[in-house]
Amino acid sequence: MNQKELREQENRCIQEQAPACSAACPVHVDVRGMTAAIAKGNFDDAQELYRKSIPFPQIISRICDQPCQKTCLRKDLGGAIEIAALERACLDFAGRDFPAVKQLARKSKTVAIVGAGISGLTAAYDLARKGWGVVLFEASGQIGGGLWQTAPDLLPRDVLIDDLKIIEQMGIEIHLNSPIGRTGGNGHGTLLARMSHEFSAIYLCAGPVASDFHDLKLDGNGYVTIDPVTFQTSIENVFAGGDILRFSTFANNENLHHSAILSLSEGRRAAISIDRYLQTVSLSASRFFEGQYTTTLFTNTKKITPQPPRLQTDLSTCYRPDEAVAEADRCIQCECMECVHVCAYLEHYQAYPKRYIREIYNNLSIVMGTRHSNQFINTCALCGLCAEVCPTNLDMGQICKGARIEMVKQQRMPASAHDFALRDMAFSNGEKFSLTKNPPGTNVSTYVFFPGCQLSASYPHYVEKAYSFLKESLPEEKVGLMLRCCGAPADWAGQEALFAESNQQFLTEYEKMGNPKLILACSSCYQIYKKHFPQIEITSFWEIYDQFGPQTERRITETPPLALHDPCSTRYESKIQDSVRNILRKNGIEIEELPLNREKTECCSYGGLMWLANKQVAEKMIQGRVNQSQSDYLTYCAMCRDFFSKNGKRSLHLFDLLFGKLETDYALTIAPDFSRRHENRARLKEKFLKEQWSESMPETQDFEKIHLILTDSVKSQIENRFILEEDIQKVIANAEKSGKRMFNQTTNHYLAYFKPASVTYWVEYSPQENGAFEIHKAYSHRMEIGRGAVK
Amino acid sequence: MSDYVDLSKEKNWMCANCNVPLVSGKVDISYLGNSFQVNLLKCPICNLVLVPEDLALGKMAEVEKSLEDK
Ligand code: SF4
Ligand code: SF4
Ligand code: SF4
Ligand SMILES: [Zn+2]
């Protein structure tokens, strides 16, 4: 994932796009921010936001024809928000005065503005704020232009006069009764030629039309040529708005009807051009989102209940404060956040993918110094739900995975981040568990059962039953067995080299069996082989069971329906999901569908090694999932079941129903701890070897023969510290052999340490008379004990 | 880092190998190329070192984390 790709992904998140109302507002008033403030009764902040976009708030709030309203997402849910009425309310009810407009220091250049209507006044205001000198020429005896034609009961004249005082206050020079244009030159060349010498730039926005300015180039239709983006005419320092613009070729006259807010927007856009012209920077560069446009923001309104406004308003309606608050409260506060609403992880970090991707980008670019997003990047479950719900299918999982690969390549992946899971994988692919066998008496397989490392760790007895089932159900076939880890932990950890190595080992073993069809019981394995071995024919155990298993009921449950949880690795595997539902139906087991199921299902926190990288977020994730239904859960992934039951949720594995004892309640069975998981895998291999192939396990090492005694509390202590009993055995074996250990005279305990690889383990223990060792505590660290000490 | 170790709590330990009480002394501990001096109890003869649980799970874990940019 290079920086360019990251940027592209970042741009796919549309959460920061304006809501429909602001995009439709020609000057992009922050309507959503205003309504949020008003809904809290905060008219001050609302007015401040309004003033940010509107130079003459008293006037505009009274006469704006609110083009924003037509696009409001409330439109079909009770009626569009009464935006203009709320704008008037925030002017009426704000409790404080607003400070005078801040102006930059006066610069040397001066702009002439011809016409003092809304457009010219806005341009004058904006340019004067930037520090340019502004001279205003107005043909009539007063500034305000068309505003004086508005009905006085809508726009009382004292309000009009009061709001326009700002023009004079800003030091703008006003020449009234100064018609420009019609009279032409006075012997010193044309008017424009003369003015464009006297002034650095000119904005024409008065009534006069093309014919009044002979030196402006006209197009084929006889209109003044105007650049539609910059409003520049054929004379480089002359810009045009108002009727000149309205009657130019590019302007579609219907769209540019007379509207105070459109004129204001025009003046503002002209001012941007003039300001850039005076600063001699590009006039046309990155001028996006000016004037009215259609937003790309997506807002899900499915869960919004319709609610009409309390009063219908017109331009003369003035709310009472409480009415304004109630109306503002109807605003949906449009935003996307689709992914954040369904992902506890995205929610936990309190932002949204656009911001997250920017942080990831920064994180990856830091060469020296602390990277703050490492844990964030390592927490994602890589489950793909975000992409499923996102209107642009942005996949944070893909991004976080790419970032992990990058971190590994840069050697900036924290050593401890995934170490424990990778060692677990190494165990599973080592001699204690890995096994490839053709069925007894043959040297080739047509099918091979691949139960996966976690199912074998949690439910070794069901793995045996599943293998027997396959052999019985496919009597014509040669069903081999392959025990190992699919390599998902390395893949999730971004360890490409390790993953490739594991895949290569698999392939060598697999080919030796004669390229059989692969039967997978774990859907994470399924995804790995589907993606990385497209040449191999794969099928899930559940499809086989559906097809060849008993077609009639094994049991009739009197119990209430079970809520079915689809593992996130089956997200787009509807065939597997359907098979599971078929099996359940045939067994007479009633199920309840969770609100987020099938392609919208959630991760149990195992995915992406979230459980290891961030326990806090993992717990939120699990809690969120198990709270979705009161019913007992049923799933078909060992890890999902184990995480749910560990968090106190009654949950079953589908194997409990198919292969368990009918009278046993398995729903609260606690999954084996880490040490037991290793033991279970090793025993499973041993059992298979002995029973099916009459072979025995390779020799055990000395340390494995050490017998440990641990109380439950010590067991849970070491589990939480990610310490295995085999680590403890190694420490004791080393200490007892070398004699390097400490002795406590008060407690009579021994203490010893040993560093088998990157972690140093400490064990406090007491040897027993029978040769066993009682363990009092164990802890570990990664820092290395160096000089001045024995290693 | 040495401020974080309360050696008095561990005073009953002795080296079982050399059969002498541990004494306090400077020990280097390092991680990812950074090294620190800590006052720890160690065997005056064979240099066996005692890293107490509190130090391993407290300050050391903290320093590991920050050096790893976690
Ligand atoms: S509901 Fe609110 S934020 Fe959404 S378009 Fe309407 S006014 Fe704007
Ligand atoms: S769903 Fe998430 S990533 Fe997609 S646009 Fe919305 S906020 Fe952005
Ligand atoms: S945990 Fe799943 S839904 Fe959340 S960001 Fe990661 S991939 Fe997307
Ligand atoms: Zn010693």
Side-chain angles (χ1 to χ4, degrees):
Chain A
M1 176 137 332
N2 62 34
Q3 303 208 329
K4 191 171 148 254
E5 282 163 349
L6 268 181
R7 282 279 180 247
E8 276 165 19
Q9 295 296 329
E10 180 193 323
N11 289 333
R12 280 170 65 183
C13 174
I14 42 79
Q15 163 66 8
E16 286 181 4
Q17 298 302 312
C21 51
S22 291
C25 168
V27 291
H28 316 311
V29 166
D30 180 0
V31 178
R32 182 179 60 189
M34 275 178 42
T35 53
I38 298 173
K40 284 191 216 126
N42 187 340
F43 292 97
D44 286 357
D45 284 3
Q47 185 178 150
E48 196 168 317
L49 283 178
Y50 188 53
R51 281 174 180 270
K52 267 197 187 137
S53 306
I54 303 285
F56 313 108
Q58 301 284 350
I59 297 172
I60 299 299
S61 67
R62 282 178 166 80
I63 61 172
C64 181
D65 61 341
Q66 39 180 354
C68 52
Q69 241 205 343
K70 289 195 197 74
T71 66
C72 173
L73 267 69
R74 256 285 174 215
K75 198 173 49 191
D76 304 317
L77 291 161
I81 301 297
E82 300 289 356
I83 298 170
L86 288 174
E87 289 168 349
R88 289 193 289 283
C90 76
L91 285 153
D92 289 348
F93 306 130
R96 66 173 169 93
D97 289 335
F98 287 82
V101 189
K102 280 207 193 82
Q103 284 175 269
L104 296 182
R106 178 71 166 82
K107 300 185 179 87
S108 60
K109 294 174 181 167
T110 301
V111 183
I113 291 178
V114 179
I118 280 281
S119 173
L121 291 172
T122 304
Y125 174 98
D126 282 1
L127 289 166
R129 279 184 67 168
K130 301 243 170 184
W132 305 114
V134 179
V135 180
L136 199 53
F137 297 95
E138 166 57 38
S140 75
Q142 59 201 353
I143 60 170
L147 290 174
W148 292 95
Q149 264 102 62
T150 334
D153 50 339
L154 271 189
L155 182 58
R157 295 317 187 224
D158 54 333
V159 171
L160 171 53
I161 291 165
D162 187 59
D163 228 17
L164 292 184
K165 270 191 198 144
I166 184 77
I167 293 296
E168 218 169 317
Q169 284 162 4
M170 290 176 95
I172 293 164
E173 206 178 303
I174 305 170
H175 296 266
L176 298 176
N177 304 309
S178 307
I180 302 281
R182 224 149 293 212
T183 49
N186 59 3
H188 300 282
T190 64
L191 170 85
L192 273 183
R194 190 158 49 83
M195 277 184 85
S196 56
H197 278 114
E198 206 175 315
F199 296 98
S200 304
I202 301 164
Y203 178 42
L204 300 173
C205 54
V209 282
S211 55
D212 295 322
F213 297 106
H214 301 292
D215 20 18
L216 291 180
K217 207 168 123 205
L218 304 183
D219 63 17
N221 298 314
Y223 296 130
V224 175
T225 312
I226 300 172
D227 183 294
V229 175
T230 64
F231 300 171
Q232 194 176 31
T233 66
S234 56
I235 303 177
E236 66 162 10
N237 67 342
V238 178
F239 298 79
D243 281 351
I244 308 180
L245 180 69
R246 217 151 274 124
F247 292 106
S248 66
T249 301
F250 77 81
N252 177 332
N253 299 356
E254 286 150 74
N255 284 349
L256 278 180
H257 63 285
H258 275 277
S259 142
I261 195 69
L262 279 174
S263 301
L264 200 150
S265 160
E266 234 170 75
R268 171 147 297 160
R269 294 166 72 181
I272 293 171
S273 295
I274 293 169
D275 178 57
R276 289 186 180 200
Y277 174 77
L278 297 179
Q279 296 194 58
T280 62
V281 295
S282 164
L283 297 191
S284 55
S286 58
R287 297 197 64 162
F288 309 118
F289 304 123
E290 287 184 11
Q292 286 183 292
Y293 66 93
T294 308
T295 185
T296 51
L297 180 69
F298 169 80
T299 303
N300 188 341
T301 52
K302 273 196 206 118
K303 289 190 186 134
I304 310 283
T305 29
Q307 190 192 349
R310 259 206 271 155
L311 358 153
Q312 293 294 331
T313 68
D314 58 32
L315 282 178
S316 63
T317 309
C318 291
Y319 280 135
R320 294 191 319 257
D322 62 312
E323 289 165 342
V325 169
E327 178 59 14
D329 203 38
R330 280 199 322 124
C331 170
I332 294 165
Q333 291 294 310
C334 293
E335 60 172 356
C336 177
M337 299 295 262
E338 286 293 285
C339 57
V340 180
H341 292 318
V342 295
C343 171
Y345 154 65
L346 292 175
E347 192 182 35
H348 176 82
Y349 287 92
Q350 299 183 348
Y352 41 84
K354 194 176 185 78
R355 293 245 310 264
Y356 294 145
I357 297 171
R358 244 176 271 156
E359 279 163 28
I360 291 176
Y361 181 91
N362 293 338
N363 200 71
L364 293 180
S365 334
I366 292 170
V367 179
M368 304 287 283
T370 315
R371 296 180 164 199
H372 293 287
S373 306
N374 288 353
Q375 199 188 18
F376 171 80
I377 292 168
N378 285 328
T379 299
C380 174
L382 314 180
C383 74
L385 177 55
C386 47
E388 172 59 29
V389 299
C390 172
T392 67
N393 301 113
L394 177 61
D395 187 350
M396 275 303 282
Q398 202 194 326
I399 291 162
C400 288
K401 164 100 171 288
R404 291 179 201 176
I405 291 174
E406 202 56 40
M407 283 159 71
V408 172
K409 277 192 198 145
Q410 298 175 344
Q411 302 194 324
R412 298 292 296 259
M413 178 59 88
S416 62
H418 303 120
D419 194 41
F420 188 75
L422 297 176
R423 277 190 285 150
D424 192 48
M425 172 178 152
F427 175 90
S428 294
N429 289 340
E431 61 173 18
K432 289 276 158 212
F433 181 59
S434 77
L435 181 72
T436 307
K437 283 281 180 194
N438 293 313
T442 62
N443 51 16
V444 64
S445 299
T446 52
Y447 279 86
V448 56
F449 179 43
F450 191 107
C453 63
Q454 301 298 2
L455 181 70
S456 304
S458 292
Y459 307 103
H461 47 295
Y462 291 150
V463 171
E464 288 177 62
K465 293 207 163 138
Y467 185 46
S468 306
F469 163 83
L470 288 172
K471 293 213 292 186
E472 280 159 31
S473 310
L474 304 168
E476 310 291 305
E477 304 288 348
K478 296 187 182 114
V479 188
L481 179 71
M482 197 184 228
L483 300 180
R484 58 184 290 118
C485 166
C486 67
D491 185 36
W492 293 340
Q495 301 281 353
E496 283 183 313
L498 198 59
F499 183 50
E501 190 191 316
S502 150
N503 283 340
Q504 191 49 54
Q505 282 171 7
F506 160 80
L507 198 61
T508 311
E509 300 278 293
Y510 170 80
E511 283 171 350
K512 274 195 273 181
M513 304 181 94
N515 303 324
K517 289 181 197 159
L518 199 52
I519 303 173
L520 301 152
C522 163
S523 36
S524 292
C525 303
Y526 189 94
Q527 288 309 324
I528 293 285
Y529 291 109
K530 182 177 174 180
K531 177 146 181 239
H532 298 276
F533 295 91
Q535 75 278 22
I536 294 180
E537 200 178 322
I538 60 172
T539 178
S540 91
F541 177 85
W542 312 113
E543 288 170 78
I544 303 260
Y545 194 93
D546 180 21
Q547 202 181 338
F548 299 102
Q551 301 297 312
T552 50
E553 290 175 10
R554 170 172 130 93
R555 72 181 67 217
I556 303 199
T557 39
E558 297 297 329
T559 47
L562 298 162
L564 183 62
H565 165 80
D566 296 303
C568 67
S569 39
T570 67
R571 184 174 311 291
Y572 297 115
E573 306 303 338
S574 52
K575 263 175 33 197
I576 301 180
Q577 296 168 346
D578 290 342
S579 300
V580 165
R581 285 162 176 78
N582 288 342
I583 295 169
L584 290 165
R585 192 173 24 74
K586 285 186 274 193
N587 276 281
I589 292 153
E590 208 186 315
I591 58 160
E592 170 191 323
E593 292 286 357
L594 288 167
L596 290 173
N597 65 355
R598 292 185 177 262
E599 72 284 352
K600 288 201 170 56
T601 191
E602 292 178 285
C603 177
C604 67
S605 85
Y606 178 61
L609 303 177
M610 171 189 265
W611 63 277
L612 185 58
N614 196 328
K615 203 166 173 198
Q616 191 196 2
V617 174
E619 264 160 25
K620 281 192 186 178
M621 194 96 165
I622 300 166
Q623 274 316 320
R625 184 55 170 174
V626 299
N627 287 343
Q628 283 178 7
S629 167
Q630 294 301 307
S631 312
D632 287 6
Y633 278 22
L634 171 65
T635 185
Y636 42 108
C637 165
M639 297 318 277
C640 298
R641 209 245 34 138
D642 291 356
F643 277 113
F644 295 157
S645 61
K646 225 182 259 172
N647 276 262
K649 179 73 182 177
R650 290 177 52 87
S651 318
L652 294 171
H653 193 286
L654 182 49
F655 276 136
D656 290 325
L657 300 180
L658 303 183
F659 297 145
K661 293 194 193 78
L662 282 173
E663 61 284 358
T664 311
D665 179 7
Y666 293 100
L668 277 179
T669 325
I670 292 295
D673 60 25
F674 296 130
S675 300
R676 237 53 56 198
R677 302 181 78 76
H678 280 198
E679 206 175 297
N680 285 346
R681 285 181 202 143
R683 290 230 177 102
L684 181 66
K685 173 174 176 177
E686 188 173 13
K687 206 154 174 240
F688 269 133
L689 272 180
K690 198 165 135 208
E691 291 174 6
Q692 308 267 344
W693 290 278
S694 316
E695 288 177 25
S696 54
M697 282 289 265
E699 270 296 297
T700 47
Q701 297 180 41
D702 282 348
F703 75 86
E704 294 173 66
K705 295 179 188 129
I706 293 178
H707 185 68
L708 304 180
I709 302 167
L710 301 103
T711 60
D712 283 350
S713 79
V714 174
K715 274 188 187 161
S716 87
Q717 177 189 72
I718 67 168
E719 179 85 354
N720 289 329
R721 294 175 179 180
F722 296 111
I723 297 172
L724 299 171
E725 288 173 21
E726 64 205 56
D727 299 323
I728 294 179
Q729 287 171 319
K730 284 180 197 162
V731 175
I732 294 177
N734 185 268
E736 294 295 308
K737 196 167 152 215
S738 67
K740 282 180 185 153
R741 48 196 183 143
M742 287 155 261
F743 181 71
N744 190 308
Q745 293 151 295
T746 326
T747 58
N748 290 339
H749 291 175
Y750 284 93
L751 179 67
Y753 60 96
F754 183 56
K755 182 166 170 277
S758 51
V759 179
T760 304
Y761 295 97
W762 290 79
V763 180
E764 193 174 319
Y765 63 95
S766 317
Q768 305 294 297
E769 274 171 16
N770 61 5
F773 293 87
E774 185 185 349
I775 308 305
H776 306 292
K777 63 164 77 149
Y779 52 94
S780 70
H781 54 77
R782 292 179 164 267
M783 294 193 90
E784 292 179 47
I785 304 171
R787 258 189 309 131
V790 169
K791 286 203 198 179
Chain B
M1 195 184 287
S2 37
D3 309 352
Y4 298 90
V5 200
D6 180 4
L7 297 179
S8 66
K9 263 178 37 191
E10 318 291 343
K11 65 176 185 309
N12 290 319
W13 287 105
M14 49 190 296
C15 178
N17 207 20
C18 313
N19 214 12
V20 293
L22 302 183
V23 296
S24 87
K26 294 225 176 307
V27 177
D28 275 350
I29 52 175
S30 63
Y31 195 50
L32 302 176
N34 301 274
S35 88
F36 308 82
Q37 272 219 335
V38 213
N39 239 1
L40 290 178
L41 289 175
K42 61 177 182 178
C43 171
I45 301 170
C46 75
N47 274 345
L48 200 65
V49 167
L50 171 64
V51 173
E53 184 183 18
D54 296 353
L55 178 66
L57 302 183
K59 195 63 194 174
M60 269 168 112
E62 217 174 277
V63 173
E64 284 167 13
K65 231 179 166 173
S66 70
L67 290 175
E68 284 185 343
D69 293 348
K70 259 184 102 180

